[in-house]
Amino acid sequence: MIPIITTLPLLQMASGDRLFLQVYKFIGTKPGRKVYLQSNLHGAELTGNAVIHQLMQWLGSLEPTQLAGEIWLVPLCNPLGTNTRSHHFSPGRFDAYSGENWNRIFWEYQPNVEDLTAFAQSQMECDRPTIEQNYRDRMWASFEKLAAPLKAPSGQPFCDHYRFLLQSLCLDAHYVIDLHTSSDQGLTYLYYFRNRQTSARLFMLPLGILLDEYAGGAFDEAFIKPWLALEDCFAQLGRKIQFEIEAWTLELGSAMQIDAGTVDRGVQAVKNYLLQKGILRVPAAPTPMPSIATMKLVASSQMKKYYAPMGGMVQARVALGKTVEAGQRLYQILSFNKGLNQGSETEQMPTVLDICAEQSGIVYDVSINHAVNQGEYVLGIL
Ligand SMILES: [Zn+2]
């Protein structure tokens, strides 16, 4: 299969140079569902680019007859973020101009309760594909209203242009997969939404986190929440219905790195998902897949982040991936206390403070920088 490559102008810089998005579309000979994958929305989170490259190579080795539907791939989906530097570092999580988190800017279709209920009531006798299409039509009509202000003489901030372009690529998709990493050092896991735990296991990752608390404006949320709202509305009207529409955020290890093992895991995760969903039909994979049942599922509300209670140097920290018990030491802060009027000299000597776990769990994420100002993030446990 050879992809159709579409290059989309994204942004003209002050220097006159332009940034683009490039979309690789693999189109099967059989009709089917649309899969949308993107990577590097946060500029420092690189692993997904390598995952998409390997997926492209794999898809390139298949025939169009083996693909039902289409797969759209958008690596480097945020060139401005990817190119941002602070010396060696790619901060890339926030738009340096506006301060916005790149993954909190997305538009969500939110009909009011009366409109949603009226729509669901009007569809009670319809089959699922019809409802899906009718709802998509409404969503598109609402989305297209965002276009006019972008072209107006008064213009709009770049984030509004950016989200419009990115969401225009995926609004009609069935499956959206957003490839991230920690912005520090993290494990490999995914975020999923309610009632999608069976599909979550198809990624065969060790850990799945149910998003039972929403961040607001995240790419995966913006895509799936309108569908969850419609499912809820039907449930209240007494009809149980679940749309074959899913959104996933995969967290593939650490920022600013491309670790071969993590890339492999990401590739296997997406491949297995596409195969199990019937998007692709290939002879049995030569290497045995890990057991689907080994995925541990937990809720995002159980995630506990630890922030430095005082400024200093983080030392003796527990390793990423370790299981800790409540009360166990997580790390120490070595603080070179400075200040005037502290009474005795002993108060001005360096101190070492033990920070202990409030709850047991797995250390899923740790900060890269061991120097922390008071209140800075150190690690996360779930
Ligand atoms: Zn991210």
Side-chain angles (χ1 to χ4, degrees):
M1 253 188 299
I2 300 168
I4 297 166
I5 301 175
T6 308
T7 304
L8 304 167
L10 174 65
L11 169 68
Q12 184 169 32
M13 312 296 288
S15 60
D17 298 288
R18 290 178 193 277
L19 300 179
F20 296 89
L21 293 185
Q22 197 142 287
V23 187
Y24 303 85
K25 302 172 186 173
F26 289 87
I27 314 287
T29 49
K30 297 173 203 156
R33 302 186 193 122
K34 175 174 169 182
V35 185
Y36 174 88
L37 266 108
Q38 68 177 24
S39 59
N40 214 170
L41 177 57
H42 285 134
E45 303 177 7
L46 311 175
T47 303
N49 297 325
V51 169
I52 286 184
H53 177 237
Q54 290 198 19
L55 289 171
M56 285 174 64
Q57 290 182 313
W58 177 58
L59 293 168
S61 71
L62 302 177
E63 297 299 324
T65 50
Q66 293 175 276
L67 169 61
E70 36 197 279
I71 301 173
W72 290 28
L73 303 169
V74 187
L76 298 159
C77 77
N78 179 3
L80 193 57
T82 304
N83 294 331
T84 304
R85 288 291 173 285
S86 179
H87 191 40
H88 298 303
F89 297 98
S90 298
R93 187 171 177 79
F94 301 93
D95 178 357
Y97 176 77
S98 68
E100 298 258 28
N101 181 331
W102 287 115
N103 200 19
R104 300 289 183 273
I105 62 172
F106 294 100
W107 171 85
E108 185 182 322
Y109 176 56
Q110 285 181 304
N112 64 42
V113 177
E114 293 77 28
D115 287 350
L116 188 62
T117 307
F119 171 76
Q121 280 171 333
S122 74
Q123 308 288 303
M124 286 298 275
E125 305 306 319
C126 300
D127 61 12
R128 196 174 71 173
T130 306
I131 299 170
E132 191 182 309
Q133 190 54 53
N134 291 340
Y135 196 55
R136 280 189 193 282
D137 291 345
R138 287 173 167 246
M139 203 181 299
W140 270 112
S142 185
F143 180 71
E144 282 170 350
K145 289 181 186 157
L146 302 177
L150 297 177
K151 295 177 191 145
S154 52
Q156 291 289 311
F158 171 67
C159 276
D160 290 13
H161 289 270
Y162 178 53
R163 71 179 187 176
F164 186 77
L165 181 58
L166 218 49
Q167 292 186 276
S168 71
L169 301 175
C170 73
L171 209 62
D172 62 345
H174 296 82
Y175 307 124
V176 161
I177 304 175
D178 196 9
L179 302 176
H180 286 246
T181 74
S182 168
S183 52
D184 284 301
Q185 295 171 295
L187 299 178
T188 294
Y189 56 94
L190 64 72
Y191 287 105
Y192 70 99
F193 292 86
R194 66 177 185 262
N195 301 329
R196 267 68 182 176
Q197 59 273 15
T198 306
S199 293
R201 294 179 190 275
L202 302 178
F203 288 93
M204 304 178 310
L205 296 175
L207 191 58
I209 298 174
L210 168 68
L211 281 161
D212 60 347
E213 291 176 346
Y214 296 127
F219 191 76
D220 54 356
E221 284 180 16
F223 177 76
I224 200 170
K225 273 171 66 185
W227 296 98
L228 299 177
L230 184 59
E231 289 172 5
D232 283 351
C233 189
F234 272 112
Q236 283 168 6
L237 295 172
R239 180 171 174 188
K240 186 170 164 38
I241 188 166
Q242 183 167 326
F243 297 96
E244 185 57 27
I245 290 178
E246 299 178 347
W248 311 94
T249 292
L250 270 57
E251 298 284 346
L252 302 171
S254 303
M256 296 190 292
Q257 296 174 18
I258 298 207
D259 169 70
T262 310
V263 173
D264 282 350
R265 186 142 223 174
V267 172
Q268 289 303 323
V270 177
K271 271 188 183 179
N272 196 57
Y273 180 75
L274 297 177
L275 292 168
Q276 298 286 349
K277 286 290 182 185
I279 308 292
L280 289 155
R281 296 184 196 284
V282 299
T287 49
M289 299 284 189
S291 166
I292 286 174
T294 56
M295 184 181 238
K296 180 183 175 187
L297 300 177
V298 293
S300 59
S301 54
Q302 293 172 28
M303 300 168 98
K304 182 76 182 173
K305 290 184 174 177
Y306 285 73
Y307 299 91
M310 61 198 296
M313 305 290 125
V314 172
Q315 63 180 21
R317 188 172 62 191
V318 291
L320 180 67
K322 285 278 184 208
T323 298
V324 294
E325 300 299 328
Q328 183 179 335
R329 190 180 76 195
L330 295 173
Y331 68 97
Q332 294 178 323
I333 289 200
L334 164 60
S335 180
F336 292 88
N337 291 302
K338 297 175 191 171
L340 301 171
N341 306 319
Q342 285 197 327
S344 70
E345 287 181 356
T346 53
E347 288 178 13
Q348 287 173 291
M349 291 298 287
T351 55
V352 175
L353 179 67
D354 285 344
I355 310 298
C356 298
E358 291 179 15
Q359 61 186 42
S360 61
I362 301 167
V363 179
Y364 72 92
D365 190 86
V366 295
S367 65
I368 287 178
N369 197 337
H370 285 228
V372 283
N373 296 321
Q374 185 178 350
E376 285 186 0
Y377 172 75
V378 181
L379 56 80
I381 292 179
L382 59 73

